[in-house]
Structure formats: structure tokens, C-alpha cells
Amino acid sequence: MTTEPVQPAPADRHGPAAATVLVGALLVLVGIGWLLDAGGVEVPWRAVLPAALIAVGLACVAGAFQGRQHAMMVVGVVLTVVLAVAAAANWDLDVPLAGGVGDRTERPATPAQLTTYELGVGDFLLDLQQLQVPPGTTAVQARVGIGELVVQAPDGVSVRVVASSGLGEVQVLGKQESGVANRVEATAEAGGDRRLELDLRVGIGQVRVER
């Protein structure tokens, strides 16, 4: 009795799926844009994001004939959400793409310690309760790309707040909005000539001002 030799399985000569190639190209494109934005170069996201969405849509149509469109559908949904948030906010979110990742807490005590606060992804607590606010107007600006921004305002000082969130929720001195393109303006008078002006923005997430 003879045994026929086992033939090795034929090598898979198929190239990578078009969807895989396109996803990789999109990641490279967004990564380059992110890098340029971090370096101070103005990136035309208003044109880049719709172009990417069109490319994903074409790949979904082509992949439908091969049954490989599921991953591209996920990418397309994500891009659609990002575009909807940006368009609803009139492309003026002004949130950081390269402000770091992780939780962060700042407790400035003097105006000299104040700066423009930015965080890319994470929860940011800005505690101003010990801030020595001088006579006149002191402006504070804080931005979070994705996450939560909480500001604790000091007592005995008038506070004016302009807070916005592209997608999420805004809670400011008893006022609240949630959904897409939220913007809340609120003022709390405390008498005297000391005033704190807060300009707060979050791309996706929550803004809270506590007192």
C-alpha cells in the first residue's frame, strides 16, 4: 500500500485588500496633518476630512462587490461624526490636537502663573479657588480636545464664562446644554472691581464650571 505525498497548500497570492490599503493611507494622511498642526502649520481640515470621507465611501462601494466593506463602514461612520461635529460648530472648535494625553490638574495662585491651558485627550481640572485675582479683568483660556474640562472659580470675584463643546455637555453656573455645538454664556456678579473671564472649549466631552 502506497501513500501519496501530501501536497503543500498553495500560497495565498492575493494582495492586500483595497480597504486595508485605504485605511493605512488615511491614517498616514491624518498623522501627517496632526504633525503639521502640532508644528504650527495651518492644516485645511475643512477640505481634508470631506475628501477622506469621499474616499471611504468609494471604497465601501467597491468593497460591496467583494464582501469586504465592513471595516470601511466603521471608518466612514467615525469620519461622518467628526464632520458633523465640526460643521455644527462652524469649523471653529479651536481645540488642541497636540496638547498631551492623560489627566491633569493646575492650581495657579498668582496671575503670573496663568497661561493658556491645553490638553489633547483626558480630564483637566483647573482649580482657581486660591488665585489672587487683582483689580480689573483677568482672562483665562483653557482647551481640551477629547475629555472633561472642570474649572473651580474663586469666591468673592465676579465671573464671566463663555464655554462651548462640539459634542457633549456644558454646565456653567446653573446653566446647562447638551448635544452638538453647545455654547453657554453666564455671569456671576460678586461686587467690587475684580473680574475673572473664562474662555473654555472642549471638542468632544464635557465642560463644567463650579463655584
Side-chain angles (χ1 to χ4, degrees), residues 34 95-96 100 102 119-123 143-148 202-206:
W34 200 329
V95 294
L119 180 64
V121 179
D123 295 337
R143 305 281 188 267
V144 172
I146 301 175
E148 183 180 51
V202 168
I204 300 177
Q206 185 182 53

Side-chain angles (χ1 to χ4, degrees), residues 51-144:
L53 185 59
I54 291 172
V56 170
L58 292 175
C60 288
V61 173
F65 295 99
Q66 301 176 355
R68 296 179 174 178
Q69 76 277 19
H70 301 294
M72 295 309 300
M73 289 293 291
V74 175
V75 177
V77 169
V78 172
L79 279 174
T80 301
V81 171
V82 173
L83 277 169
V85 172
N90 197 26
W91 298 88
D92 190 29
L93 293 178
D94 189 22
V95 294
L97 292 176
V101 176
D103 296 342
R104 180 179 169 190
T105 299
E106 294 285 348
R107 293 186 172 88
T110 65
Q113 296 176 345
L114 292 173
T115 184
T116 298
Y117 300 99
E118 292 188 349
L119 180 64
V121 179
D123 295 337
F124 184 29
L125 171 61
L126 180 57
D127 185 354
L128 302 177
Q129 293 181 323
Q130 304 302 318
L131 179 64
Q132 301 172 11
V133 181
T137 299
T138 301
V140 179
Q141 186 180 89
R143 305 281 188 267
V144 172

Side-chain angles (χ1 to χ4, degrees), residues 123-196:
D123 295 337
F124 184 29
L125 171 61
L126 180 57
D127 185 354
L128 302 177
Q129 293 181 323
Q130 304 302 318
L131 179 64
Q132 301 172 11
V133 181
T137 299
T138 301
V140 179
Q141 186 180 89
R143 305 281 188 267
V144 172
I146 301 175
E148 183 180 51
L149 171 59
V150 179
V151 178
Q152 297 177 341
D155 295 325
V157 177
S158 297
V159 179
R160 180 178 182 273
V161 183
V162 178
S164 60
S165 173
L167 176 64
E169 185 179 46
V170 178
Q171 298 179 5
V172 174
L173 303 176
K175 296 184 177 181
Q176 179 175 336
E177 282 192 15
S178 60
V180 178
N182 310 296
R183 179 184 172 90
V184 174
E185 296 187 23
T187 301
E189 299 291 343
D193 60 349
R194 298 186 302 158
R195 176 176 293 271
L196 195 61

